[in-house]
Amino acid sequence: MAANDFNFLLATDSYKITHYRQYPPSISRVYSYFECRQQSDSSFREVVFFGLQYLLKKYLLGPVVTEEKIQEAKVFFQSHFRQSVFDEEGWRRLLEKHDGRLPVRVKAVPEGHVVPRGNVLFTVENTDPEFFWLTNYIETMLVQMWYPITVATVSREFKKILARHLKATSGGLEGLDLKLHDFGYRGVSSQESAALGGAAHLVNFCSTDTVAGLLMAQRYYSCPMAGYSIPAAEHSTIISWGRSREKDAFAAVLDQFSSGPVSVVSDSYNIFNACKHIWGDELKERVMERSQDSCLVIRPDSGDPAETLIEVIKILEECFGSSLNSVGYKVLPSYLRIIQGDGIDLSSVDEILHKLTEEGWSAENVFFGCGSALLQKLNRDTLSCAFKCSYVETGSGKGMDVYKQPVTDPSKGSKRGRLSLRKNSDGVLETVERGAGKPEEDLLVTVFENGSLLLDYTLEEIRKNARLRDDEEKPPQHNHIINGLH
Ligand code: 20M
């Protein structure tokens, strides 16, 4: 299906087709908001806002309603509901009165901002009283924002862990933005997820193999090249030489990519043998010829990640030696590094880095690759993303704050009235409810109005907004005290 075959009218849950008939008779405005609800048991205390600009540009900009799309939706819903519930007249009014452009306003926190859970992230309202039903019609599409927000948030949590260990064991943060490589392209459910998830990771890092994410950063966030990769072997390129010729396979990769870093998966048969006898003996000179800028990155890809990595690093030390860095941790020669891309998630990265530290090794020695824990092993509940109506107006212009407060689950209660987001006197972001916020303090900015985009963020700005704060880079013990966790 070509992109312009997309029918905005059909991009919603079926039941929403029937909602225009259910609101109170005199309603003229519906105002709703999106948040990642606070949950006492969750480890994610703040979220990174990212992805709205793609959604707006791709699906909501300009004339999205045409006579053909109305006809297509009419026929579809007649057959789907087996009765006439589709608001053909309403949509035709929108086409005639607004040229098919959506009479809605979206106000949002700037992309890349890091916001504590439980705060408003964006609001949606109709700008023409006749189209009160449009606000929540687009909920289905807008709540899909959970995905880029969650990936950007998880990726930033990886960055916090990596920053703490890197700072503690190397004295600085050099190379931090290349420490977590996105391997997730094959593990996601679709090309669009790869693009959104891949781009969300690039808010925090510059290391990826997910080409779709780079293209999204180019096309929707004005970033010519947001991330980098290096030549690398995969099992097929190694085992196709046959079991007895693993050494030849390795040597061929070194030959073909003699300058610049190169990575070689080394567990096809026996990772320990490969490190000790092939890399550390038969090809030792060839490895030692390389330099920091042309390093060999050895990749184990099986076994318990922490145990295997420690054993591999010890073998490599026996063969190639090590030196101490300025803060007293061991580093392999600069021509030799390791990438662990198997079994990586937030807890295993922390565990691996703790074990390396205990054994005296700097985080400088290793890179991490992450696939499904970064792009796929998450869902809308990971950050409890929800879109709720908080304010309505009637025909006479009278406003009413509305909310839900289910007796069966207080955590599912919603906010009341018109919302704004401000920094309080302690510098903490908080949501002001019931229309009580001062407009001059409001961090929510209008990004979309009546079919037009009012702001265009670049990935560069977004990255700046999402940068780690000083206290998030502090070594572990230090940080625990600051956060009052101990
Ligand atoms: C290898 C190693 C790193 C990054 C990228 C690669 C190559 N791409 C790969 N893609 C995969 C996709 C899916 N599964 C597996 C793989 S893979 O592991 O075979 N490789 S890295 O993060 O370790 N690192 C290497 C060193 C590099 C930064 C990136 N620096 C060397 C000097 C400056 C940059």
Side-chain angles (χ1 to χ4, degrees), residues 44-70:
F44 301 104
R45 300 204 328 219
E46 55 188 14
V47 304
V48 181
F49 187 66
F50 176 72
L52 181 61
Q53 183 164 298
Y54 164 74
L55 227 130
L56 296 174
K57 285 185 177 179
K58 175 105 180 159
Y59 299 114
L60 299 184
L61 215 58
V64 294
V65 182
T66 63
E67 186 54 40
E68 296 70 45
K69 291 184 202 284
I70 295 172

Side-chain angles (χ1 to χ4, degrees), residues 338-367:
I338 305 170
I339 177 159
Q340 178 67 39
D342 179 52
I344 294 305
D345 59 23
L346 285 168
S347 67
S348 69
V349 149
D350 201 34
E351 185 199 329
I352 292 167
L353 288 168
H354 270 294
K355 289 202 170 139
L356 281 172
T357 307
E358 272 167 23
E359 302 272 340
W361 289 101
S362 169
E364 281 165 86
N365 295 291
V366 290
F367 295 91

Side-chain angles (χ1 to χ4, degrees), residues 129-287:
E130 234 186 291
F131 302 99
F132 60 86
W133 46 267
L134 200 52
T135 303
N136 271 43
Y137 196 92
I138 58 179
E139 169 185 4
T140 313
M141 183 178 283
L142 291 175
V143 173
Q144 291 187 337
M145 278 292 296
W146 76 264
Y147 180 67
I149 290 174
T150 307
V151 175
T153 300
V154 168
S155 163
R156 191 167 181 279
E157 293 297 317
F158 270 109
K159 194 170 182 178
K160 287 183 192 171
I161 295 170
L162 289 160
R164 288 170 192 160
H165 287 279
L166 194 60
K167 199 157 196 178
T169 63
S170 80
L173 291 176
E174 210 190 304
L176 175 62
D177 56 8
L178 295 174
K179 277 282 168 197
L180 184 69
H181 197 84
D182 173 2
F183 286 175
Y185 204 170
R186 69 191 64 181
V188 286
S189 56
S190 68
Q191 291 293 341
E192 191 178 31
S193 294
L196 268 168
H201 173 65
L202 292 168
V203 168
N204 306 294
F205 290 90
C206 299
S207 207
T208 189
D209 259 39
T210 303
V211 173
L214 295 163
L215 293 172
M216 172 166 290
Q218 287 181 345
R219 292 173 187 160
Y220 293 89
Y221 290 92
S222 316
C223 186
M225 187 42 72
Y228 305 95
S229 189
I230 62 166
E234 65 169 19
H235 287 109
S236 80
T237 68
I238 302 299
I239 64 174
S240 56
W241 290 72
R243 186 169 186 138
S244 60
R245 296 174 72 200
E246 192 178 29
K247 180 202 130 191
D248 299 333
F250 289 0
V253 180
L254 293 184
D255 274 348
Q256 289 294 323
F257 305 98
S258 53
S259 74
V262 65
S263 158
V264 182
V265 65
S266 306
D267 76 325
S268 295
Y269 311 106
N270 182 336
I271 179 71
F272 309 118
N273 178 69
C275 290
K276 198 175 169 78
H277 298 295
I278 306 181
W279 295 123
D281 184 9
E282 294 169 272
L283 296 174
K284 185 172 178 183
E285 265 81 73
R286 308 276 305 274
V287 174

